[in-house]
Amino acid sequence: MSYIAGVDIGNSTTEVCIGEAGRDGHIHFLASASCRTTGTKGTLANVHGIRTALKQAMESIGRQTDDLSLIRLNEAAPVIGDTAMETLTETIITDSSMIGHNPSTPAGAGQAVGKLLLIENLTYAEQGISYIVAASSAHSYEEVAGLINAASSRITITGLILQADEAVLVENRLQKKIPIIDEVAQIHKLPDGVMAAIEVALPGQAVRMLSNPYGIATLLGLNAEETRTITPIAKSLIGKRSAVVLKTPGGNVRENVLPAGEIYFHTAGLAGASGYAQGLAAPSGEPYPAAPGRRVSSVNLDEGADRIMQALEEAGAIQDISGQPDTNVGNMLSRIRRGMGELDKSEGADIRITDILAVDTLAPVLVSGALAGETCLEKAVGIAAMVRTQKLPMQEIASQLHMELDTEVTVAGVEAVMAAIGALTTPGTMLPLAILDMGGGSTDAALISKDGNVTMTHQAGAGELVSMLIETELGLGDRHIAEQIKKYPLAKVESLYHMRMENGQMSFVEESIDPRFYGRVVLLAEDGLIRIEQDIPMEKIVQVRQEAKRKVFVTNAFRALRRVAPGNNLKNISNVVLVGGSAEDFEIPEMLMEEFASYRIVCGRGNIRGSMGPRNAVATGLVLSYVGEKK
Amino acid sequence: MIIKKPSIFIYTCQADSRILKEICAGIEEEGVFFEVTEQDEEDIDLLAWQAANDSMPGSGIGICRTTAAFQMRGLEKGRNVERCQNPAREQSRKLGADSARAVKKQAFK
């Protein structure tokens, strides 16, 4: 009787599977476990994670790790995925020309025009001029209301801008009702004596006058030329509940396009081939001279994800991908490359970026020059890159593990083949079979033909890119909560006794829900609710989450399967089994099933050994292949 | 027919007037009605719990001297949503605003 362990080290998770080899050569599976990969995949730091997972699995059957007689590690594919994000545009407000935000409780409604006047200077106000008064939070609501009531018999006050959240309090104490905007943090930056127009929208509506260039022209008396220049201001106020526009000579809202840099694709072109792919400009001052028999094509990052992916497709067999030196994309790609270089320290290591996945996204960025913390959705591109080296130092991990545990450790089997053997334990599968391994760092596909030949491919972009897209598009600034949004369905707590699920279903509870969750959007995790701190509507989160998953996994599933399919035609694939951590997701497999339905492909979440779900395929394959080798 | 206004109830017992005023300001800014009643009861938990149960939208505040607590109907006595002793101006405002947000079914500040 001997215990055999299969260990699969992935980009984000280490999985183990324990089997017992009987004398008849049959394998009984006893336990499995998984934990986070410690360190970068393929480094000695992994040993710690492997030991934790092994200990967990052995303890669940009442054994020690000493009892293992053999540990089989996967020959991990020497590819590592990495992600990065670059914003392509930035918005700048010059000369504090506008305020446009959504305070939770503005007061009054309508629009007004007047000269800006600080409340301290009320006594200097002249008759016959309309004023918009600005008050800092140093003045209490009673003081502000008192001063304005006293002054309004003498001068005309048409509107009020407050720093504190006291608009309703002031309005309730005013004799004459005027529109009031509050929560303007940088009120001291407002220039005294400048003409301004303010607007507060009716409840449930957005501003109408100030989001219309002609509306601003009407209020501030602009000519045709001036109206043209304030159009960006009007555009940026669309959808706001309250707004202020100031008539300053140099004031404007500008959108800058940031120089993002070019991406170069190095391909194995035929000697004397027709030069650059059609439609791609030859890079001027080419910093990477093409090696003989190679071609280089390029695409600019700010042309957007679609164009980048199209250029990648057109380029053909990629040898390497690099970026224009000293640009955002250049630094990003060389950083990824350097990280990989630390793993393979062998002399003359051949480290290349062989695939990228670019995705268009929008990131809410704080506008520079903003007076009330306004944000603007800026264009950005998210990129996942796949780095390939000759070989990962798996043998070193094996010897380290052997030393620490005093057990025989072997490096066995190619990852994709092992995954296929494991996937075949799913009930209802047969050869030929395609597997789609959707992990954290990469999306891999393998096709096993009837006679056991395996073709495989590794694509950049998987779960981690989805997390990054969710993090940036929702402006969370926290990768951990983005990962949880990816993993769990949402609900809104509507009272202490019920919540509404994202699909509209109501759920009632016996015990009252903790008041901390009241009125909030929450995630339904296994061990209770997780509160989302940001004030983002549930529908918006659902939309961003599903869009991110679709952009990454549907795109990559098609790319990967087309590459392994006979004749590069998806119709030549009949069965696809989804494995890997992201196949466990509650909606990704269904999204893919819908997409593949039109190709008459049987596609579904794997169920390894009929019980493990889509996880543990490689580890299971490693244990199973042991029997085959013995025979 | 007696129609009750959807007011937040504030039950007080020799309440500190500055605290009471700021709590009322917090509710007013959110645009919700409130009613203040003086009670002969010193237990802050009971004051808040009773106020929440008597209020039509189920949101109540108890203030005893310099201690304030905010309760919602459905929670057991003593399990206050918020409770503060000698609150600063901002804290009192927040307690008031949150009791109003409970009525409006909005997330707390």
Side-chain angles (χ1 to χ4, degrees):
Chain A
M1 232 23 121
S2 57
Y3 295 107
I4 301 157
V7 177
D8 169 27
I9 308 162
N11 263 311
S12 39
T13 319
T14 299
E15 289 175 354
V16 303
C17 161
I18 310 281
E20 187 184 35
R23 283 181 209 293
D24 53 352
H26 278 290
I27 294 268
H28 298 282
F29 289 100
L30 298 173
S32 44
S34 70
C35 73
R36 265 199 100 75
T37 299
T38 44
T40 314
K41 164 176 145 181
T43 57
L44 277 182
N46 297 162
V47 173
H48 184 72
I50 298 172
R51 287 189 61 175
T52 317
L54 283 174
K55 195 154 170 260
Q56 247 180 51
M58 288 305 272
E59 271 171 7
S60 72
I61 51 168
R63 294 273 172 181
Q64 302 293 316
T65 35
D66 302 352
D67 299 336
L68 284 169
S69 53
L70 175 65
I71 298 171
R72 288 164 69 83
L73 296 183
N74 63 324
E75 176 70 75
V79 290
I80 290 184
D82 206 345
T83 53
M85 174 75 66
E86 282 306 331
T87 43
L88 301 177
T89 53
E90 64 172 347
T91 305
I92 298 167
I93 301 177
T94 50
D95 270 7
S96 31
S97 52
M98 64 145 217
I99 300 166
H101 70 322
N102 288 325
S104 57
T105 51
Q111 60 255 235
V113 192
K115 221 173 179 182
L116 271 183
L117 181 71
L118 293 180
I119 198 156
E120 293 85 359
N121 302 340
L122 265 181
T123 44
Y124 305 128
E126 296 163 30
Q127 279 185 355
I129 301 178
S130 299
Y131 288 103
I132 288 174
V133 176
S136 77
S137 57
H139 305 270
S140 76
Y141 59 94
E142 283 161 321
E143 212 179 316
V144 174
L147 284 169
I148 290 186
N149 279 338
S152 60
S153 57
R154 194 170 61 83
I155 55 167
T156 321
I157 296 170
T158 55
L160 186 58
I161 304 173
L162 297 175
Q163 186 174 30
D165 179 14
E166 294 181 337
V168 179
L169 287 167
V170 173
E171 198 212 17
N172 288 349
R173 284 160 184 77
L174 286 186
Q175 286 147 5
K176 195 170 146 271
K177 301 299 177 202
I178 50 175
I180 306 174
I181 292 175
D182 62 354
E183 296 179 67
V184 176
Q186 307 289 323
I187 200 155
H188 55 273
K189 283 195 188 159
L190 284 175
D192 205 7
V194 164
M195 282 301 283
I198 88 171
E199 179 174 6
V200 175
L202 290 165
Q205 294 188 12
V207 294
R208 298 174 62 176
M209 215 47 186
L210 294 184
S211 59
N212 170 9
Y214 301 121
I216 300 177
T218 314
L219 291 174
L220 292 179
L222 305 181
N223 63 28
E225 193 45 49
E226 287 168 325
T227 307
R228 179 183 302 281
T229 58
I230 52 91
T231 308
I233 295 182
K235 200 180 117 206
S236 59
L237 291 176
I238 294 172
K240 300 283 189 269
R241 276 203 293 269
S242 74
V244 179
V245 174
L246 310 179
K247 195 181 176 187
T248 49
N252 206 345
V253 176
R254 216 175 53 233
E255 190 190 82
N256 272 8
V257 176
L258 301 170
E262 290 189 332
I263 303 174
Y264 303 122
F265 302 111
H266 305 252
T267 48
L270 299 165
S274 61
Y276 299 100
Q278 227 185 0
L280 288 171
S284 52
E286 174 54 57
Y288 291 102
R294 283 206 194 176
R295 298 188 302 171
V296 179
S297 51
S298 80
V299 64
N300 203 313
L301 193 65
D302 56 28
E303 287 184 57
D306 285 346
R307 189 73 195 89
I308 296 172
M309 295 316 287
Q310 193 195 341
L312 180 73
E313 196 89 349
E314 284 167 0
I318 301 283
Q319 297 270 317
D320 196 5
I321 299 170
S322 61
Q324 195 176 354
D326 297 320
T327 60
N328 286 341
V329 67
N331 294 340
M332 190 173 97
L333 291 177
S334 65
R335 195 176 57 236
I336 293 173
R337 192 187 301 266
R338 217 175 20 251
M340 192 67 180
E342 276 158 23
L343 298 188
D344 191 353
K345 292 200 180 70
S346 57
E347 198 59 37
D350 187 16
I351 295 156
R352 289 177 285 128
I353 297 177
T354 51
D355 187 39
I356 56 168
L357 176 69
V359 181
D360 279 328
T361 168
L362 292 171
V365 178
L366 198 70
V367 175
S368 54
L371 296 176
E374 295 100 331
T375 57
C376 186
L377 282 179
E378 306 286 4
K379 276 196 205 116
V381 172
I383 285 188
M386 169 76 73
V387 195
R388 180 183 285 270
T389 176
Q390 230 66 47
K391 203 174 180 193
L392 285 176
M394 296 306 291
Q395 203 56 54
E396 279 177 37
I397 300 178
S399 24
Q400 177 76 21
L401 208 57
H402 170 69
M403 227 164 62
E404 287 185 21
L405 294 177
D406 199 21
T407 311
E408 195 188 339
V409 183
T410 55
V411 179
V414 179
E415 189 168 329
V417 179
M418 293 301 128
I421 296 174
L424 270 174
T425 62
T426 298
T429 54
M430 54 169 268
L431 292 176
L433 177 76
I435 61 160
L436 197 59
D437 185 347
M438 302 182 291
S442 68
T443 305
D444 307 334
L447 184 80
I448 308 101
S449 66
K450 261 202 179 99
D451 42 11
N453 284 329
V454 178
T455 33
M456 56 182 150
T457 181
H458 304 280
Q459 310 271 318
E464 279 163 25
L465 183 61
V466 173
S467 305
M468 189 178 76
L469 289 175
I470 293 174
E471 183 191 338
T472 34
E473 288 198 24
L474 294 176
L476 299 171
D478 175 0
R479 179 61 61 88
H480 182 66
I481 191 77
E483 255 159 41
Q484 289 178 318
I485 289 177
K486 178 178 77 177
K487 248 166 85 183
Y488 301 116
L490 293 156
K492 174 147 193 192
V493 180
E494 294 193 328
S495 82
L496 291 178
Y497 289 96
H498 84 277
M499 47 190 164
R500 187 177 292 278
M501 308 289 144
E502 62 174 76
N503 62 3
Q505 202 184 330
M506 287 269 234
S507 161
F508 292 87
V509 289
E510 283 288 327
E511 281 273 308
S512 69
I513 301 168
D514 192 318
R516 282 184 302 126
F517 298 117
Y518 185 83
R520 296 261 178 191
V521 177
V522 294
L523 294 163
L524 304 167
E526 298 99 357
D527 49 357
L529 305 176
I530 300 170
R531 191 170 91 162
I532 294 174
E533 298 300 327
Q534 289 79 2
D535 185 19
I536 311 169
M538 182 164 73
E539 294 73 20
K540 167 89 180 159
I541 303 178
V542 171
Q543 185 214 334
V544 166
R545 183 192 70 210
Q546 291 181 341
E547 204 49 45
K549 286 177 179 173
R550 207 165 267 135
K551 276 180 197 165
V552 174
F553 282 110
V554 173
T555 316
N556 256 353
F558 275 93
R559 272 194 334 142
L561 288 177
R562 207 166 267 143
R563 212 166 275 186
V564 295
N568 288 352
N569 190 345
L570 281 186
K571 297 228 159 129
N572 296 333
I573 292 178
S574 56
N575 291 289
V576 177
V577 175
L578 307 173
V579 297
S582 298
E584 259 182 336
D585 189 272
F586 65 100
E587 56 190 357
I588 293 172
E590 284 74 11
M591 278 179 193
L592 291 177
M593 264 181 252
E594 278 172 12
E595 296 288 334
F596 284 131
S598 55
Y599 292 88
R600 305 177 64 82
I601 295 173
V602 182
C603 164
R605 197 184 271 127
N607 195 6
I608 310 302
R609 288 184 260 137
S611 65
M612 293 302 297
R615 283 230 185 238
N616 219 270
V618 177
T620 302
L622 281 166
V623 174
L624 278 176
S625 65
Y626 167 73
V627 187
E629 276 174 31
K630 261 181 84 177
K631 277 178 185 163
Chain B
M1 196 171 78
I2 302 165
I3 299 175
K4 278 195 196 164
K5 247 169 122 184
S7 307
I8 295 167
F9 279 18
I10 304 176
Y11 285 177
T12 56
C13 178
Q14 299 159 43
D16 182 300
S17 63
R18 285 170 308 126
I19 295 173
L20 176 63
K21 184 174 163 243
E22 293 302 335
I23 288 176
C24 293
I27 300 174
E28 190 185 333
E29 174 64 24
E30 296 289 328
V32 178
F33 303 119
F34 58 89
E35 282 169 36
V36 184
T37 327
E38 180 73 15
Q39 304 276 322
D40 190 21
E41 171 62 62
E42 299 214 342
D43 181 357
I44 184 75
D45 292 339
L46 188 62
L47 276 174
W49 182 81
Q50 197 61 52
N53 274 288
D54 296 347
S55 146
M56 184 222 143
S59 176
I61 291 174
I63 312 172
C64 180
R65 297 193 183 87
T66 58
T67 310
F70 151 43
Q71 254 288 22
M72 287 163 76
R73 183 160 54 223
L75 295 174
E76 60 265 39
K77 186 165 79 74
R79 214 181 131 203
N80 301 312
V81 181
E82 265 172 62
R83 182 195 155 112
C84 42
Q85 226 149 1
N86 274 320
R89 201 181 76 113
E90 288 309 312
Q91 262 179 305
S92 308
R93 282 276 178 99
K94 179 182 176 301
L95 191 134
D98 285 349
S99 73
R101 282 167 170 246
V103 176
K104 299 202 283 184
K105 304 222 180 293
Q106 282 177 349
F108 299 142
K109 269 191 172 173

